[in-house]
Amino acid sequence: MNTHFLLIGDASGRRLNGFVECFKKLGTSSYQVITWQEYFDDFLVFSRKLRENTIVRLEPPEKDMEIYRAILKLGEVDNRLSNAEIDDIDFSQFPIIAPGQWYAGFTKLITDIAQTCSVHADKKILMMQDHCEALAMMDKRQTYDRLAAKAKEYSYYLPAKLEAPLRVKEFREMYGGQVLKCFIKLRYGSGGTGILAYKNNPRLNEETLWTSLKVEIRGGKKFFYSGRKIAFITDKAKIGELIEWVLANGAHIETWIPKAAYQGTHFDTRVLVAAKTPQYFITRLSKTPITNLHLGNQRRNSSEVFTAGQLAVLSQAAADVMKVFNKSLYAGIDIVCSPGYKPYVIDVNPFGDLFHNLLGTEANVYYYEIKAALEKMREIQ
Amino acid sequence: MEAIKFFVDYDDEVTLEKKLADYIEEHVSYDLPAITIGHWNDAYDTSPEPVINYLIANKAKFPNLKKIFLGDIDSDECEVSWIIHTDAAPLINEFALEEIIIKGANGLRLKNAASNTLKELTIISGGLASNTLNDIAEATIPNLEHLELYLGVDDYGFDGDISTLEPFMQRSNFPKVTYWGLKNSEIADEICERVLASDILPGLEVLDISLGTLSNRGAELILENMDKLAHLKTLDLTYNYVSDELLEKIIAKGSELNIEVLCSKEDVYNEDDEDYRYPYITE
Ligand SMILES: Nc1ncnc2c1ncn2[C@@H]1O[C@H](COP(=O)(O)OP(=O)(O)OP(=O)(O)O)[C@@H](O)[C@H]1O
């Protein structure tokens, strides 16, 4: 039976275009694309394009500020920004605005799409992502809690979770008296946004942060945004200001896992698991505690960095994470290996399948995803 | 020298002395010439005293030990300036060591250290305290050939000044030293000035003033006194705050005199800001 694909994504996004490239190479003629821009102009476009035997694929909106505005408007949270306020936001420098409200809006958006799919269930519709699990993965708190609930059964390790207060004053009251190394993370952040690598040693009166988070005052208002460089901050007032913002916007705090080093440089590894099988390992080397690719750090082939035995341990840990998110076809799992190579899971990304260096090559992970989705489709047909 | 590294991994419950004991139980003795002691539990809070005690109490089980690295701890496991130490002299006194490297210096002492075998002593730290420096100055280590001390900054424990370093300028205290490094210092210029006038200088092969805040002031003195350094094999100024122009002159003069001059500034973070000059290792 002929299967169709229906993609929703950013018109100019690399993700969407990467996927379309794959279809072209595979000679799959039967695909349609809806851009988020089109969707927000007329959301009925989705149900109109939903034919029989369709696999639906969602690509998250990238840096399109009008789409960001539209999603913010969908979000219902306490103290929400009004539509008028949202229209007024100056996005010229890409500030991070109301991530909690954005997440609520995105949840609404995705849930609506999933609902439309289930209304048309008789047409045999498969969503490539399980939207509930994808949404859970986009919230670091939920991700952590789901993994923690199963940690005893599986082979991965987790950092310890620390209670996250709402204000920095409380934070310092709670933790200021002890030696502490932790990551304070924006609960709904991704791509290194709102990540604070925090250290405190009261004996030395030393409090420091590594982060790409920056604050700027414009028109008397504070704007927070992700800088391109990772800065080392020692000024207590500055540190307080950044922590305060992350806490206020919803934080997940966990202990800092010391990273194993390769030729003297620390690293973590992203494992892409598709169809329950680890497919790709990319090791990210960094001189700072934050290794995310796009912030200008190096990456290495994991076979250079790990022995076969260590890779097997890493694979098992990643495969076990997917048992917790067992409805998802794929995810990108970030793993920090301790100096003794214990695999600590520190993040699960529903859209972690984009490896820029693989785009346009045969090794592109999208092929695996397409294959896996087609297999699953056969099951329901 | 071939060594095994013993360390406690993150979240491991077992202690490092237990790991050593397990090894001995399995192998009867530790026969390699060198041993590396890595991260021990809560190194930011607890000294390696139990480890040292274990090694001393089981001395006979380490029959060939010539080298110890105490505190081979990565910054991610515990910052060098956070590592807590204790009196490590017993290791020097009880084993016939030829080399000891210690990383971290909080609470580190080397009280009454005495050894005829010890040839190399290295302490890597973000701040070396006066009492530790005094212990080294007063130690009976007549055969020491390699002295390498990372002095660090006052924020992290260097509470001395140039006068504290006076004993290290005197040949009579270290008759056989050929590698002399008072490095990673925030008073590198002063050290430079003093060592150029010292009587320890003539017998050296390597003069190591690297990783500190050496500036044009110290570098000009070096250039003026290059003839006094003619006997050196290596002049190590790696990581410095010296102008390229001056460095080139030193290199040129060095090659005339057949001295290898190391002076890369690769890791210098903020070269141009005179108010924020730090040695390489602090925190
Ligand atoms: N608990 C931890 N211990 C040590 N390093 C950590 C920890 N948590 C995060 N990191 C490091 O911080 C960086 C960002 O972490 P994380 O993956 O949680 O952020 P993110 O914003 O979700 O990034 P991405 O979307 O790329 O996954 C990574 O380089 C990771 O190695």
Side-chain angles (χ1 to χ4, degrees), chain A residues 272 274 279-280 353-355 358 363-370:
Chain A
L272 179 89
Q279 310 279 2
Y280 283 108
D353 50 351
L354 180 70
F355 287 113
L358 296 176
N364 193 317
V365 293
Y366 292 154
Y367 292 116
Y368 284 96
E369 292 167 18
I370 293 170

Side-chain angles (χ1 to χ4, degrees), chain B residues 100-112:
Chain B
I100 188 163
I101 304 173
I102 299 173
K103 188 168 172 185
N106 266 300
L108 176 68
R109 298 297 304 265
L110 292 168
K111 284 187 213 161
N112 305 315

